[in-house]
Amino acid sequence: PTSLLENEHAPANARAHLAELEDLALAHRHADGTAFTLPRLLQETARQQQAHLKPPPALTTALEWVNETFPYDSDEVHFWPIAEPLAPHAQSIALHAADRALSSPTALLLNQVALFYEAKGQHTNAEPLIRRALAMDEASLGLNHPHVAIRLSNLASLLQDTDRLAEAEPLMRRALAICESSFGPEHSNVAIRLNNLAQLLQATQRMDEAESLMRRALAMDEASFGPEHPDVAIRLNNLAQLLQDTDRLSEAEPLMRRAAVILITFTKETKHPHSSLNTFMNNYGSLLIEMGDTPEQVVEKVSRLW
């Protein structure tokens, strides 16, 4: 048997069908109410019976159900307990829907499952899913749609993570061009693409171009969100790390300190630690050590930030 997580937002008719299957002893709801089990034979029979329909109603319902349940931020560690058991089912239903040319929300679901696999370092599982999502969005939305830019950027990031920088760069530049055309040159979505391209350029030692793009992305986010937004902190940290890598430690320190303070303030106000807070604090401490501070001095300076 296999299982799918049950979701309170799942279509009402799907929940009703589940109850009917339970009455017929063809489905078993788990004791905690979060999942149910179907025999594989029943799943395959349903698929074969629906194969001639376009689109198959059962497939559409299942796709909507799983898409609602699979966590959007599945690359975040605290979502992994939800995503882990659901990922194989989400992948299976999404690929089946892709084979039936059911583009929405299939491409999004493929993308999210791929991000989950990539976050876990399972790049060989992630890459074909991202490529399939990209191809689907290009076919259904056109080559220059903003969703295509997202898929291009995700694929480029995976290629960068697997040391295929020369393959990644044209995809990142294409994603940037799509966003600039779609949203205008000063939009926050453009800042994201600029930042991604800048980090790739930094990885290939093109520091001057990378720095220029990072400073542009920082200025755009400050204008869009204000100087104390967490996205601004991310831009500050990235720029500070580039300055650190080019031995400009005194320039990097105030930027990295400001980034840490922004996330500390965010944590105090929301009572929920930002996912990058520990990383930024460690980055700041490492920079201080490189600048000559003793561990005791680092602890004192970091403590004062709070």
Side-chain angles (χ1 to χ4, degrees):
T2 59
S3 63
L4 291 174
L5 293 180
E6 189 175 358
N7 187 288
E8 62 180 352
H9 301 298
N13 62 338
R15 295 197 300 272
H17 292 326
L18 172 59
E20 292 177 10
L21 289 172
E22 285 186 291
D23 292 341
L24 294 170
L26 294 174
H28 172 68
R29 194 189 304 252
H30 292 194
D32 60 6
T34 62
F36 65 90
T37 302
L38 294 177
R40 290 193 183 277
L41 180 60
L42 179 60
Q43 296 179 44
E44 185 59 32
T45 300
R47 276 197 287 264
Q48 291 178 5
Q49 289 178 343
Q50 295 288 338
H52 66 284
L53 300 175
K54 295 184 179 181
L59 174 59
T60 303
T61 298
L63 184 64
E64 292 172 352
W65 196 347
V66 177
N67 189 61
E68 284 284 347
T69 303
F70 199 81
Y72 182 76
D73 291 322
S74 55
D75 55 334
E76 294 285 350
V77 173
H78 59 277
F79 282 111
W80 286 10
I82 301 173
E84 185 77 51
L86 190 56
H89 305 291
Q91 177 179 341
S92 178
I93 191 67
L95 289 174
H96 188 59
D99 289 340
R100 302 301 304 277
L102 197 61
S103 60
S104 180
T106 307
L108 174 61
L109 185 56
L110 286 169
N111 180 80
Q112 295 313 113
V113 175
L115 290 181
F116 171 65
Y117 286 145
E118 183 179 2
K120 296 190 69 181
Q122 299 174 10
H123 297 105
T124 56
N125 291 335
E127 184 172 344
L129 301 184
I130 294 180
R131 289 188 182 277
R132 188 72 180 270
L134 171 60
M136 292 188 71
D137 275 346
E138 287 179 326
S140 62
L141 302 174
L143 298 179
N144 297 312
H145 193 278
H147 288 180
V148 171
I150 295 172
R151 310 295 174 245
L152 287 166
S153 184
N154 290 341
L155 177 56
S157 293
L158 184 146
L159 294 172
Q160 182 174 353
D161 289 344
T162 52
D163 295 321
R164 288 176 283 171
L165 305 184
E167 294 179 59
E169 183 173 344
L171 303 185
M172 284 190 178
R173 291 192 182 277
R174 184 181 158 203
L176 173 60
I178 291 172
C179 285
E180 288 178 324
S181 176
S182 299
F183 303 112
E186 303 301 320
H187 195 275
S188 58
N189 285 346
V190 174
I192 294 172
R193 307 300 164 223
L194 286 169
N195 177 77
N196 292 347
L197 178 57
Q199 290 190 307
L200 183 143
L201 294 171
Q202 182 177 354
T204 57
Q205 300 302 309
R206 285 173 282 176
M207 297 301 195
D208 289 344
E209 187 180 357
E211 181 179 345
S212 176
L213 296 185
M214 283 186 182
R215 291 189 182 278
R216 182 182 163 200
L218 171 60
M220 290 164 63
D221 274 352
E222 286 178 323
S224 297
F225 303 123
E228 307 304 321
H229 193 277
D231 283 3
V232 171
I234 292 171
R235 306 291 173 251
L236 287 165
N237 178 77
N238 291 344
L239 177 58
Q241 288 191 305
L242 183 146
L243 295 172
Q244 184 177 0
D245 288 347
T246 53
D247 295 322
R248 288 179 284 170
L249 305 186
S250 61
E251 294 180 58
E253 190 276 335
L255 302 184
M256 202 168 280
R257 173 164 32 90
R258 182 183 159 200
V261 169
I262 290 173
L263 294 195
I264 289 171
T265 301
F266 173 88
T267 296
K268 289 179 178 179
E269 291 177 348
T270 64
K271 301 186 181 343
H272 180 74
H274 191 278
S275 59
S276 296
L277 177 59
N278 288 338
T279 299
F280 283 19
M281 299 301 288
N282 289 334
N283 290 348
Y284 184 52
S286 297
L287 175 62
L288 293 175
I289 290 291
E290 189 174 347
M291 294 179 71
D293 283 3
T294 65
E296 293 75 16
Q297 290 173 317
V298 170
V299 170
E300 180 184 356
K301 288 183 179 180
V302 169
S303 298
R304 284 205 301 265
L305 298 182
W306 290 86

